Amino acid sequence: MEVALPRPRAAREPFLTRSLDNERLLAAILLAPAVLILAVFIAYPFVMGVWLSLSSTSVGNPGEFVGLKNFLKAWDDSIFRTAFGNTFFYTFWATVFKLSLGMWVALLLNRHFRGKRLVRAAMLLPFIIPTVLSTFAWRWMFDPTFSVLNWTLYKAGLIATKLPFLSDSTWAMWCAISINTWRGMPFFAITLLAGLQTINPDLHEAASLDGANAWRRFWHVTWPLLKPVTLVVVVFSVIQTFSDFQLIYVLTGGGPANSTHLVATYAYQIGVGAGLLGEGAAISLFMLPVLFFVVWMQLRYLRRLEGA
Amino acid sequence: MKKQALADRREFLKTVAGGVAAASVVGFPHVSRAQTKLVLGLWDHWVPGENAVLKEIIEAWGKANKVEITIDFITSIGEKLQATAAAESRAGTGHDIMAFVTWDGTKYKDKLEPMNDVADALIKKYGPYNENATYLNFQDGKWVTLPSPIGSHTYPLETRMDLWKKHAGIDVQDIFPADVKKRDKRKVDAWDWKMFLAGAKKVHAAGFPAGMSIAENTDSNDWLGPLFASYGSTFVTPKGDITIESNATLEALEYLKELTKYLPPDIYAWDDGSNNRWLISGKGSAVINPPSAWTVAKRDQPAVAAQVWHHDAPRGAKGRWRGSLPFTWGVWKFAKNKSAAKDLLLHLGQKEQQWKLITASQGYDMPQQNSFLDHPIWQEIEPPKGGQYNYPIRGDEKLIVCGYPAKQDLAAQIYTRYPIPHMVSRVTQKGENPKEAMKWAAKEIATYMRG
């Protein structure tokens, strides 16, 4: 006689286990925290900023939709136009200096010498110190009344009257560019150094054997291989410099006579200082298309390089 | 219920305000509560000890009236006080009573509980608020905020009397003695911007220039605004007509073009602390500032502080004007205990409390009702004895905030966006034609008005 034993009942897996077996669901669960953070801290403020820029909101008034009025008003404001021009000038020259000096320092640090590690670590100091703190130190060095630089130059007999570091429009802008360069150059140097170390020394050796001098080795071997890294660094730097706020806010507050205002500092003055949130948001949004264009152009170029 | 409220009101007036004038204000004050709570956002005073005195006064009142008190002292450094007010106004929740800096009452006037009952009671008892405080607090027929002594200050000239006497032959202590009755009208009348310029030339030649900022900071507004007013220059009328392009403005700009030749060349990069530093450096012979500059000097350079005399501004063709930045108190419309908040503010407005607060601030806090100006502290504080007697208005000066007499919303823009220091620096630093600079300023102001 055949006895049919009851088939063991397959233990039903818990819902959570079954859910986690579903790759799509698992992916969604794992992505959710990141999406939530992006939505709350990036997307919401951005959308809110766009909405504010299209409204007449001020600190004590919810405002109403005004279309592009704030943008037109900003464009008609001579101080805004100055700040807009300053932002390009500041970004261009600071980036040029950071790139040239960063490249030079990276090439030096790529050599072998005693204390190499210490120098590399020390070089990062300006980048590590909080911007506000280091800019305060610079502000004291450029202080109109107590500038240590003026005092040193005067005592050394190199100047007869104080140099107007922060009280003259041109001087103040170049002081700001210098500090930005001082602060940002280590980032360029260390990133380019990392790029340099990926270049096979055999290539340089081969070029040397072919009679290439130092400049030709750099131009024909180092630079082409370093270009992708350089472009990434430049993109990051342009974004950070174009939207710089802390340095100018602490160093000059936008003065003298608005000559060092950048878009970000002017947006703050209008949005927070004067309480016109809508106008302040509109001013800050002027940065968006410019940065978008820069990033798009450079990434496009980068992709072309990778494809070549 | 009503009877109970009336009984408590009488009790309050007896114990707190002496039961005098406020009792006649119908329906006010309203003390009658069992365990209510009040949350206060107050300015974190820079004078050591002032916060403690204010806290003690408020907590004693809370205990007597069964009100649980929570106080947050919020710094104005980094505009945190302003940012807190902005956040609360948007969120519709926060402190019941909020301390505001000069223009914040204007910004939030639609979100603040009218203070007419408190202001009227205090006016009835102690007389009117000064015109500047009234201009800033009384808007659209109501007291949007209540003038507060705490943090309020004026901008007198702080002169090194030794240096001006020695190098310019001008004895400011003699012109403005520490007793208004001893003033010689002839000498006071002679103290005008022309005389100031003559003195400034001499102290500059001696290596001790006067120093006043012309940059993006409040100190610049607070001496330039009064100077333009003393020449009869107004920027915008209360009706909204832009009047900055005028002969009076031109005259003031021409004057500043001359005066700035004898000020330090770096005033265009000064911040609000620069004049303090200029005074304590020993090189500066005069600044325009509240006594905080003197306080810093007293701490760091006592010999300099002992020579600093606070006194009236020079006179122009249209009078003598002095800058002033009053602070205010407001009660949000969303506050949970508005009546208790108002009762507390009424209590703080009483002479007994004001007296303690002025003393605790070492005379820095400036009451906005003239009847409180007989506090002895300004006579007593030293060195030098009587050096701050003229910190409150004693003579023919009028208080002004840069932007007056434009409607407050616009005046706030004129103040916070600094078109006046910019207009001046375009002329005095960049050499722009004064008429072009006036035109630029008029266009800027017109931009603000577009809303």
Side-chain angles (χ1 to χ4, degrees), chain B residues 283-323:
Chain B
K283 296 283 284 178
S285 63
V287 298
I288 296 181
N289 209 60
S292 47
W294 169 85
T295 309
V296 177
K298 190 182 168 189
R299 186 192 64 197
D300 297 342
Q301 287 280 9
V304 168
Q307 292 296 333
V308 173
W309 197 257
H310 296 73
H311 61 91
D312 300 26
R315 182 176 55 80
K318 297 290 176 187
R320 204 184 296 278
W321 296 80
R322 185 192 290 190

Side-chain angles (χ1 to χ4, degrees), chain B residues 327-339:
Chain B
F327 279 33
T328 64
W329 281 317
V331 175
W332 294 113
K333 275 184 179 163
F334 57 71
K336 289 179 185 128
N337 291 300
K338 285 183 252 192
S339 68

